[in-house]
Amino acid sequence: MPAASRIRAESDAQAIAQWLSEYAASPQTQRAYRKEAERLMLWLAASGLTLAELDRSQLQRFEAFLADPQPHERWVGPPRPRQHPQWRPFRRPLSAASRRQSLVILQGMFAWLGEAGWLSHNPFRLMRDKRRRLDNRQAPIERYLERPLWEWLWNWLNRPLADSATSRERYLHRRRRLIFGFAYLLAPRISEMATARMGDFSYREGRWWWRVTGKGARTERIPVPADMIALLGEWREGLGLAAQPAGDDPTPLIRALDGHRAIGDNQLYRLIKATFAEAALALESEASDGGTRPLSRQLARATPHWLRHTALTHQAQAGVELRYLAKTARHSRLDTTARYLHAEADEWQQQVAAHRLGEQ
C-alpha cells in the first residue's frame, strides 16, 4: 500500500474495485468500466507492469494494443461467460471511437486513484493532444442502420410463419418482434430492456408512458408511440394476459422460454446478436450478384447498441426536436444527443453536388 494512500487496498485490483464501487448505483456503467479496467490490467500483467509503472510511452503501446490485440488467439474470441476457459477480453480490435472511449474511462480511473493517493502520477496528463484524442463527444454516431436497411430488417422479422410452426416457434417469433420493436421505438439501453417490467407502462391523461430507471439511477417517463402499445398488446395476449398492462404489475416484460422468468443482459445481448447474424445470411442470400453484401456485412457487425443508435438517429431524421430527443435518450448534455443529427450532412452533400467541373 502506498504511504499516501487514502483507501484500504493491498493491490491494484483492490484499488480498482474501490473505484468501481463508486458506480454501484449504475450497473451498466459499472460493467462497462470494469471491462476497460480489466483489459488494462490483463495487458499490464502480460507486460510485467503495475499501474504505478505505466508511463506515457507504455500508454501509447497500450493504445496500439487496443487497435490490434496480439497474439490474436490469446486476446480475441466470440462472446462467452467470464468463467469459460475460452473467454477472451476482446470480440474484435477496437475502432478509433471505441479506443477513445476506453481511454476516457481509464483517464477517469487514474484521476480517481490519484486523488485516493494510490498513484502518484497520471500518465494521461502527459498527452500533448489529450483534448483531441480523449474528447469523443463530438464524433458523429456512425454505428446505426440506415432507414432502408432497418425497414428490410423489420419486414424480415415480420415474415409470416409456416402453418406448421410449433407453439415454441410462434412464441420466439413474437418475442423477437417485441425486442426489436421495443429497441427501435423507445431507444432503451440493453440493461433497461432486460429489467423492464409490465407495470412500467402506464396510461395517464389519455397518453401512454414508459417509466425507466437508467444511468445514475435516474427515473424518467418516456412517451410511448401507438406501435409500441400494439406490439405490447400482441405480446401480452400471446402470454394469455389482457392486452393492456396494469400499473402495479411487477412481472418481466421480456421473458424466458417458460413465459414467466426474466432474461438477463447477457442472454438478451446474445439473442439480438444471433438475430443480426441470421438476418445477415438471409439478406445475402436474396441476391446472387453480391449487391446486398455490404448491407449484410453491416448487419453481421451490428450489436444491440446499434438499435439504440438507429432509434435516435431515425427520430432525429424525422424532425424530432433536439430537446425532446435528449429526453428520450436521457442524455444530460445536448452535445451528446447532437451526434445523432445527420440532416445537416445530407443537405451539405446535396448542395455540394451542384458544384461540377463543367456543364454535363
Side-chain angles (χ1 to χ4, degrees):
M1 177 187 298
S5 178
R6 301 179 184 89
I7 57 175
R8 298 180 64 84
E10 300 296 333
S11 65
D12 284 346
Q14 291 181 11
I16 289 175
Q18 293 207 30
W19 168 67
L20 288 170
S21 70
E22 298 292 325
Y23 300 93
S26 182
Q28 174 111 356
T29 299
Q30 190 179 60
R31 282 193 293 272
Y33 286 15
R34 179 183 291 111
K35 178 173 65 176
E36 301 306 332
E38 184 173 44
R39 285 170 172 165
L40 174 63
M41 291 297 290
L42 290 171
W43 180 82
L44 287 173
S47 304
L49 299 169
T50 65
L51 286 176
E53 294 169 328
L54 185 66
D55 60 24
R56 176 64 186 87
S57 63
Q58 290 154 351
L59 183 57
Q60 190 171 9
R61 284 177 47 221
F62 176 69
E63 185 177 5
F65 166 76
L66 294 177
D68 184 22
Q70 292 295 336
H72 186 275
E73 62 277 6
R74 176 178 178 179
W75 296 99
V76 183
R80 297 187 186 280
R82 181 62 180 83
Q83 297 77 21
H84 195 283
Q86 294 180 355
W87 174 87
R88 299 293 183 267
F90 295 87
R91 293 193 181 98
R92 65 184 64 84
L94 299 191
S95 66
S98 295
R99 294 197 300 274
R100 283 195 299 270
Q101 181 67 10
S102 177
L103 295 179
V104 166
I105 292 169
L106 294 175
Q107 180 190 29
M109 182 185 79
F110 269 79
W112 189 92
L113 292 173
E115 288 294 321
W118 183 258
L119 297 176
S120 61
H121 78 289
N122 185 343
F124 289 89
R125 293 186 176 276
L126 302 179
M127 299 171 72
R128 269 187 71 197
D129 54 350
K130 181 179 70 172
R131 181 172 181 178
R132 176 180 65 81
R133 291 165 64 87
L134 298 189
D135 187 358
N136 65 345
R137 291 174 302 180
Q138 303 304 321
I141 292 296
E142 301 292 348
R143 293 174 294 174
Y144 70 98
L145 305 181
E146 295 181 10
R147 187 170 294 277
L149 183 53
W150 162 257
E151 290 175 352
W152 179 91
L153 176 63
W154 183 243
N155 287 332
W156 178 79
L157 289 167
N158 283 277
R159 70 201 188 287
L161 293 175
D163 293 339
S164 59
T166 65
S167 57
R168 174 191 171 100
E169 289 170 337
R170 295 183 187 282
Y171 177 87
L172 293 176
H173 184 258
R174 289 194 303 271
R175 186 176 70 173
R176 194 152 69 170
R177 289 179 67 249
L178 174 77
I179 290 170
F180 277 76
F182 181 19
Y184 181 75
L185 292 169
L186 294 177
R189 299 175 176 91
I190 194 166
S191 62
E192 296 164 352
M193 295 178 69
T195 57
R197 298 290 183 241
M198 291 291 188
D200 293 339
F201 293 87
S202 60
Y203 192 70
R204 297 285 186 275
E205 299 179 355
R207 295 178 176 86
W208 281 95
W209 299 86
W210 175 46
R211 183 180 66 249
V212 54
T213 300
K215 281 189 173 182
R218 294 194 305 270
T219 299
E220 305 284 354
R221 284 200 315 161
I222 308 299
V224 181
D227 283 356
M228 182 62 201
I229 296 304
L231 271 178
L232 179 59
E234 293 171 15
W235 171 240
R236 286 178 56 84
E237 288 175 347
L239 294 171
L241 304 172
Q244 294 185 355
D248 58 351
D249 186 347
T251 59
L253 174 65
I254 302 173
R255 305 188 178 191
L257 288 176
D258 64 3
H260 299 285
R261 292 180 297 109
I263 64 176
D265 297 13
N266 289 337
Q267 184 180 356
L268 183 57
Y269 185 101
R270 292 194 297 272
L271 189 157
I272 296 173
K273 276 293 292 180
T275 300
F276 276 134
E278 185 182 342
L281 291 174
L283 179 57
E284 187 165 359
S285 69
E286 284 190 358
S288 58
D289 59 2
T292 62
R293 195 159 296 152
L295 296 178
S296 65
R297 283 199 296 263
Q298 189 177 3
L299 280 176
R301 290 177 47 238
T303 69
H305 207 61
W306 283 42
L307 291 171
R308 175 171 162 85
H309 292 331
T310 300
L312 295 171
T313 297
H314 290 186
Q315 286 190 43
Q317 291 172 339
V320 175
E321 293 182 28
L322 182 59
R323 55 178 173 152
Y324 295 129
L325 195 65
K327 286 178 176 291
T328 295
R330 301 176 304 285
H331 289 153
S332 58
R333 297 175 59 99
L334 285 180
D335 58 355
T336 301
T337 313
R339 299 165 66 203
Y340 294 91
L341 303 181
H342 299 269
E344 184 179 275
D346 293 340
E347 183 179 350
W348 188 7
Q349 282 278 358
Q350 292 170 9
Q351 294 191 19
V352 170
H355 183 55
R356 310 294 294 275
L357 289 170
E359 293 186 6
Q360 297 183 24

